[in-house]
Short mmCIF file of all heavy atoms in Angstrom, two decimals:
data_model
loop_
_atom_site.label_atom_id
_atom_site.label_comp_id
_atom_site.label_asym_id
_atom_site.label_seq_id
_atom_site.Cartn_x
_atom_site.Cartn_y
_atom_site.Cartn_z
N ASN A 193 -29.31 -39.48 46.57
CA ASN A 193 -30.46 -39.08 47.31
C ASN A 193 -31.00 -39.98 48.56
O ASN A 193 -32.01 -40.00 48.97
CB ASN A 193 -31.81 -39.06 46.38
CG ASN A 193 -32.11 -40.44 45.77
OD1 ASN A 193 -31.22 -41.38 45.91
ND2 ASN A 193 -33.23 -40.61 45.12
N LYS A 194 -29.88 -40.81 48.88
CA LYS A 194 -30.08 -41.64 50.04
C LYS A 194 -29.20 -41.20 51.14
O LYS A 194 -28.07 -40.61 51.01
CB LYS A 194 -29.72 -43.16 49.58
CG LYS A 194 -30.57 -43.62 48.45
CD LYS A 194 -30.22 -45.04 48.16
CE LYS A 194 -31.11 -45.60 46.98
NZ LYS A 194 -30.68 -47.00 46.65
N LEU A 195 -29.61 -41.57 52.36
CA LEU A 195 -28.85 -41.46 53.65
C LEU A 195 -28.48 -42.71 54.11
O LEU A 195 -29.35 -43.70 54.29
CB LEU A 195 -29.75 -40.69 54.72
CG LEU A 195 -28.97 -40.20 55.89
CD1 LEU A 195 -27.98 -39.24 55.67
CD2 LEU A 195 -30.02 -39.77 56.98
N LEU A 196 -27.15 -43.07 54.22
CA LEU A 196 -26.69 -44.41 54.52
C LEU A 196 -26.30 -44.46 55.95
O LEU A 196 -25.58 -43.66 56.54
CB LEU A 196 -25.51 -44.80 53.57
CG LEU A 196 -25.68 -44.64 52.08
CD1 LEU A 196 -24.45 -45.01 51.24
CD2 LEU A 196 -26.97 -45.48 51.61
N VAL A 197 -26.69 -45.62 56.51
CA VAL A 197 -26.27 -46.05 57.93
C VAL A 197 -25.61 -47.39 57.87
O VAL A 197 -26.37 -48.32 57.41
CB VAL A 197 -27.43 -45.96 58.97
CG1 VAL A 197 -26.93 -46.51 60.43
CG2 VAL A 197 -27.90 -44.46 59.08
N GLU A 198 -24.43 -47.55 58.44
CA GLU A 198 -23.74 -48.97 58.19
C GLU A 198 -23.47 -49.52 59.65
O GLU A 198 -23.17 -48.81 60.57
CB GLU A 198 -22.43 -48.67 57.54
CG GLU A 198 -21.68 -50.05 57.21
CD GLU A 198 -20.34 -49.76 56.49
OE1 GLU A 198 -20.00 -48.59 56.32
OE2 GLU A 198 -19.75 -50.80 56.07
N TYR A 199 -23.77 -50.81 59.75
CA TYR A 199 -23.50 -51.50 60.92
C TYR A 199 -22.23 -52.43 60.61
O TYR A 199 -22.20 -53.13 59.58
CB TYR A 199 -24.65 -52.49 61.22
CG TYR A 199 -25.88 -51.76 61.56
CD1 TYR A 199 -26.70 -51.28 60.74
CD2 TYR A 199 -26.29 -51.65 62.98
CE1 TYR A 199 -27.95 -50.62 61.04
CE2 TYR A 199 -27.45 -51.06 63.29
CZ TYR A 199 -28.24 -50.50 62.30
OH TYR A 199 -29.43 -49.88 62.73
N THR A 200 -21.21 -52.42 61.47
CA THR A 200 -20.00 -53.12 61.29
C THR A 200 -19.63 -53.93 62.49
O THR A 200 -20.23 -53.81 63.57
CB THR A 200 -18.79 -52.14 60.92
OG1 THR A 200 -18.82 -51.15 62.08
CG2 THR A 200 -19.16 -51.36 59.68
N ASN A 201 -18.54 -54.78 62.29
CA ASN A 201 -18.01 -55.65 63.33
C ASN A 201 -19.04 -56.65 64.02
O ASN A 201 -19.22 -56.75 65.19
CB ASN A 201 -17.47 -54.69 64.53
CG ASN A 201 -16.38 -53.83 64.10
OD1 ASN A 201 -15.53 -54.25 63.37
ND2 ASN A 201 -16.39 -52.65 64.61
N GLY A 202 -19.78 -57.31 63.03
CA GLY A 202 -20.62 -58.34 63.49
C GLY A 202 -19.84 -59.62 63.59
O GLY A 202 -18.59 -59.72 63.71
N ASP A 203 -20.56 -60.76 63.53
CA ASP A 203 -19.93 -62.12 63.56
C ASP A 203 -19.00 -62.32 62.41
O ASP A 203 -19.16 -61.65 61.42
CB ASP A 203 -20.93 -63.13 63.62
CG ASP A 203 -21.86 -63.06 64.85
OD1 ASP A 203 -21.42 -62.47 65.84
OD2 ASP A 203 -23.02 -63.51 64.68
N ALA A 204 -18.15 -63.33 62.54
CA ALA A 204 -17.26 -63.68 61.42
C ALA A 204 -18.08 -64.18 60.28
O ALA A 204 -19.20 -64.98 60.51
CB ALA A 204 -16.26 -64.65 61.83
N CYS A 205 -17.76 -63.92 59.06
CA CYS A 205 -18.62 -64.36 57.96
C CYS A 205 -18.34 -65.82 57.68
O CYS A 205 -17.12 -66.29 57.79
CB CYS A 205 -18.13 -63.60 56.64
SG CYS A 205 -18.54 -61.83 56.77
N PRO A 206 -19.33 -66.59 57.27
CA PRO A 206 -19.11 -68.02 56.98
C PRO A 206 -18.08 -68.24 55.78
O PRO A 206 -18.21 -67.59 54.75
CB PRO A 206 -20.45 -68.53 56.55
CG PRO A 206 -21.51 -67.54 57.22
CD PRO A 206 -20.67 -66.21 57.15
N GLY A 207 -17.06 -69.07 56.06
CA GLY A 207 -16.10 -69.31 54.97
C GLY A 207 -15.01 -68.15 54.81
O GLY A 207 -14.16 -68.19 53.93
N ALA A 208 -15.20 -67.12 55.68
CA ALA A 208 -14.06 -66.00 55.57
C ALA A 208 -14.04 -65.39 56.92
O ALA A 208 -14.62 -64.35 57.32
CB ALA A 208 -14.58 -64.95 54.55
N ALA A 209 -13.19 -66.08 57.74
CA ALA A 209 -13.12 -65.74 59.15
C ALA A 209 -12.43 -64.35 59.32
O ALA A 209 -12.53 -63.63 60.37
CB ALA A 209 -12.20 -66.76 59.88
N GLN A 210 -11.67 -63.93 58.26
CA GLN A 210 -11.05 -62.59 58.29
C GLN A 210 -11.98 -61.42 58.11
O GLN A 210 -11.75 -60.31 58.36
CB GLN A 210 -9.93 -62.41 57.28
CG GLN A 210 -10.39 -62.38 55.76
CD GLN A 210 -10.66 -63.63 55.22
OE1 GLN A 210 -10.82 -64.68 55.94
NE2 GLN A 210 -10.73 -63.63 53.89
N LEU A 211 -13.23 -61.70 57.74
CA LEU A 211 -14.32 -60.75 57.45
C LEU A 211 -15.40 -60.92 58.48
O LEU A 211 -15.72 -61.91 59.00
CB LEU A 211 -14.89 -60.87 56.07
CG LEU A 211 -13.97 -60.80 54.94
CD1 LEU A 211 -14.65 -61.06 53.66
CD2 LEU A 211 -13.27 -59.42 54.85
N ASN A 212 -15.92 -59.72 58.88
CA ASN A 212 -17.17 -59.73 59.80
C ASN A 212 -18.40 -59.30 59.10
O ASN A 212 -18.34 -58.49 58.09
CB ASN A 212 -16.81 -58.77 60.94
CG ASN A 212 -15.64 -59.11 61.75
OD1 ASN A 212 -14.40 -58.65 61.50
ND2 ASN A 212 -15.84 -59.90 62.78
N ARG A 213 -19.41 -59.95 59.61
CA ARG A 213 -20.78 -59.51 59.03
C ARG A 213 -21.00 -58.08 59.29
O ARG A 213 -20.60 -57.41 60.17
CB ARG A 213 -21.84 -60.32 59.73
CG ARG A 213 -22.05 -61.81 59.16
CD ARG A 213 -23.28 -62.33 59.75
NE ARG A 213 -23.57 -63.64 58.98
CZ ARG A 213 -23.44 -64.83 59.48
NH1 ARG A 213 -23.01 -64.96 60.69
NH2 ARG A 213 -23.82 -65.90 58.88
N SER A 214 -21.68 -57.46 58.20
CA SER A 214 -22.16 -56.06 58.27
C SER A 214 -23.49 -55.88 57.66
O SER A 214 -23.90 -56.77 56.93
CB SER A 214 -21.05 -55.15 57.71
OG SER A 214 -20.94 -55.53 56.32
N ALA A 215 -24.02 -54.72 57.89
CA ALA A 215 -25.39 -54.37 57.17
C ALA A 215 -25.23 -52.97 56.82
O ALA A 215 -24.65 -52.06 57.43
CB ALA A 215 -26.55 -54.73 58.16
N LEU A 216 -26.09 -52.56 55.91
CA LEU A 216 -26.17 -51.29 55.37
C LEU A 216 -27.69 -50.92 55.15
O LEU A 216 -28.46 -51.63 54.45
CB LEU A 216 -25.46 -51.07 54.03
CG LEU A 216 -25.45 -49.72 53.35
CD1 LEU A 216 -24.65 -48.83 54.27
CD2 LEU A 216 -24.98 -49.79 51.98
N ILE A 217 -28.09 -49.80 55.82
CA ILE A 217 -29.44 -49.39 55.55
C ILE A 217 -29.47 -48.08 54.71
O ILE A 217 -28.74 -47.12 55.11
CB ILE A 217 -30.16 -49.09 56.90
CG1 ILE A 217 -30.24 -50.23 57.87
CG2 ILE A 217 -31.48 -48.45 56.70
CD1 ILE A 217 -30.87 -50.02 59.22
N SER A 218 -30.29 -48.06 53.68
CA SER A 218 -30.43 -47.03 52.85
C SER A 218 -31.71 -46.16 53.21
O SER A 218 -32.81 -46.79 52.90
CB SER A 218 -30.34 -47.24 51.37
OG SER A 218 -29.10 -47.99 51.09
N PHE A 219 -31.62 -45.11 53.82
CA PHE A 219 -32.85 -44.29 54.16
C PHE A 219 -33.19 -43.43 52.87
O PHE A 219 -32.36 -42.72 52.39
CB PHE A 219 -32.63 -43.34 55.31
CG PHE A 219 -32.40 -44.09 56.61
CD1 PHE A 219 -31.12 -44.51 57.14
CD2 PHE A 219 -33.53 -44.41 57.32
CE1 PHE A 219 -31.11 -45.19 58.23
CE2 PHE A 219 -33.49 -45.06 58.59
CZ PHE A 219 -32.27 -45.53 59.00
N ILE A 220 -34.36 -43.66 52.39
CA ILE A 220 -34.96 -42.91 51.22
C ILE A 220 -35.96 -42.01 51.53
O ILE A 220 -36.96 -42.35 52.37
CB ILE A 220 -35.40 -44.01 50.20
CG1 ILE A 220 -34.26 -44.97 49.88
CG2 ILE A 220 -35.91 -43.25 48.87
CD1 ILE A 220 -34.63 -46.02 48.94
N CYS A 221 -35.98 -40.85 51.04
CA CYS A 221 -36.95 -39.81 51.40
C CYS A 221 -38.31 -40.19 50.71
O CYS A 221 -38.44 -40.58 49.56
CB CYS A 221 -36.55 -38.44 50.72
SG CYS A 221 -37.83 -37.20 50.88
N SER A 222 -39.33 -40.22 51.54
CA SER A 222 -40.63 -40.55 51.20
C SER A 222 -41.70 -40.09 52.14
O SER A 222 -41.69 -40.27 53.31
CB SER A 222 -40.93 -42.16 51.05
OG SER A 222 -42.17 -42.47 50.74
N ALA A 223 -42.49 -39.19 51.65
CA ALA A 223 -43.56 -38.46 52.37
C ALA A 223 -44.79 -39.41 52.53
O ALA A 223 -45.75 -39.05 53.24
CB ALA A 223 -43.90 -37.11 51.84
N HIS A 224 -44.76 -40.55 51.77
CA HIS A 224 -45.96 -41.33 51.77
C HIS A 224 -45.56 -42.80 52.27
O HIS A 224 -45.88 -43.71 51.61
CB HIS A 224 -46.54 -41.34 50.41
CG HIS A 224 -46.87 -40.04 49.80
ND1 HIS A 224 -47.92 -39.25 50.21
CD2 HIS A 224 -46.18 -39.42 48.78
CE1 HIS A 224 -47.86 -38.23 49.56
NE2 HIS A 224 -46.85 -38.18 48.67
N ALA A 225 -44.96 -42.88 53.36
CA ALA A 225 -44.47 -44.14 53.94
C ALA A 225 -45.75 -44.94 54.37
O ALA A 225 -46.81 -44.35 54.67
CB ALA A 225 -43.62 -43.98 55.08
N ASP A 226 -45.57 -46.31 54.47
CA ASP A 226 -46.70 -47.12 54.95
C ASP A 226 -47.09 -46.82 56.37
O ASP A 226 -48.37 -46.96 56.77
CB ASP A 226 -46.29 -48.61 54.96
CG ASP A 226 -46.04 -49.05 53.49
OD1 ASP A 226 -46.65 -48.39 52.59
OD2 ASP A 226 -45.31 -50.09 53.31
N SER A 227 -46.23 -46.33 57.23
CA SER A 227 -46.63 -45.85 58.63
C SER A 227 -46.02 -44.45 58.84
O SER A 227 -45.42 -43.92 57.88
CB SER A 227 -46.14 -46.80 59.68
OG SER A 227 -44.76 -47.00 59.54
N GLU A 228 -46.15 -43.98 60.05
CA GLU A 228 -45.74 -42.69 60.30
C GLU A 228 -44.28 -42.39 59.92
O GLU A 228 -43.94 -41.39 59.24
CB GLU A 228 -45.89 -42.33 61.79
CG GLU A 228 -45.49 -40.84 62.08
CD GLU A 228 -45.76 -40.52 63.55
OE1 GLU A 228 -46.12 -41.53 64.32
OE2 GLU A 228 -45.64 -39.32 63.97
N TYR A 229 -43.38 -43.27 60.34
CA TYR A 229 -41.99 -43.19 59.94
C TYR A 229 -41.44 -44.24 59.18
O TYR A 229 -40.28 -44.36 58.84
CB TYR A 229 -41.12 -43.15 61.19
CG TYR A 229 -41.41 -41.97 62.17
CD1 TYR A 229 -41.80 -42.14 63.49
CD2 TYR A 229 -41.40 -40.67 61.63
CE1 TYR A 229 -42.12 -41.06 64.25
CE2 TYR A 229 -41.79 -39.61 62.47
CZ TYR A 229 -42.07 -39.79 63.74
OH TYR A 229 -42.33 -38.66 64.57
N GLY A 230 -42.32 -45.11 58.56
CA GLY A 230 -41.95 -46.19 57.67
C GLY A 230 -41.41 -47.35 58.39
O GLY A 230 -41.33 -47.36 59.64
N GLN A 231 -40.92 -48.35 57.62
CA GLN A 231 -40.40 -49.58 58.21
C GLN A 231 -39.25 -49.95 57.28
O GLN A 231 -39.23 -49.88 56.16
CB GLN A 231 -41.41 -50.72 58.26
CG GLN A 231 -42.65 -50.46 59.21
CD GLN A 231 -42.09 -50.72 60.58
OE1 GLN A 231 -41.22 -51.38 60.95
NE2 GLN A 231 -42.94 -50.07 61.55
N PRO A 232 -38.22 -50.59 57.97
CA PRO A 232 -37.07 -51.12 57.21
C PRO A 232 -37.53 -52.49 56.42
O PRO A 232 -38.31 -53.18 56.89
CB PRO A 232 -35.99 -51.54 58.29
CG PRO A 232 -36.75 -51.71 59.50
CD PRO A 232 -38.00 -50.76 59.44
N GLU A 233 -36.88 -52.58 55.22
CA GLU A 233 -37.31 -53.73 54.39
C GLU A 233 -35.98 -54.34 53.92
O GLU A 233 -34.97 -53.62 53.50
CB GLU A 233 -38.08 -53.26 53.27
CG GLU A 233 -39.44 -52.76 53.50
CD GLU A 233 -40.26 -52.27 52.20
OE1 GLU A 233 -39.65 -52.42 51.23
OE2 GLU A 233 -41.38 -51.97 52.49
#
């Protein structure tokens, strides 16, 4: 029930130069968000 958006090819990870930093955002359906479109946490 989640919509995933992935960020890739960031800086090299500390202690693992062969890996790059990345991030993953899980968008969750909520009609009662804190603001109009919600905020990332």
Side-chain angles (χ1 to χ4, degrees):
N193 61 346
K194 298 180 180 181
L195 188 66
L196 305 181
V197 174
E198 187 176 7
Y199 295 81
T200 58
N201 297 322
D203 298 334
C205 296
Q210 71 278 14
L211 300 177
N212 295 93
R213 281 192 167 105
S214 62
L216 182 68
I217 300 180
S218 298
F219 290 91
I220 301 174
C221 172
S222 175
H224 308 287
D226 294 337
S227 58
E228 183 178 7
Y229 297 124
Q231 292 286 336
E233 297 179 355

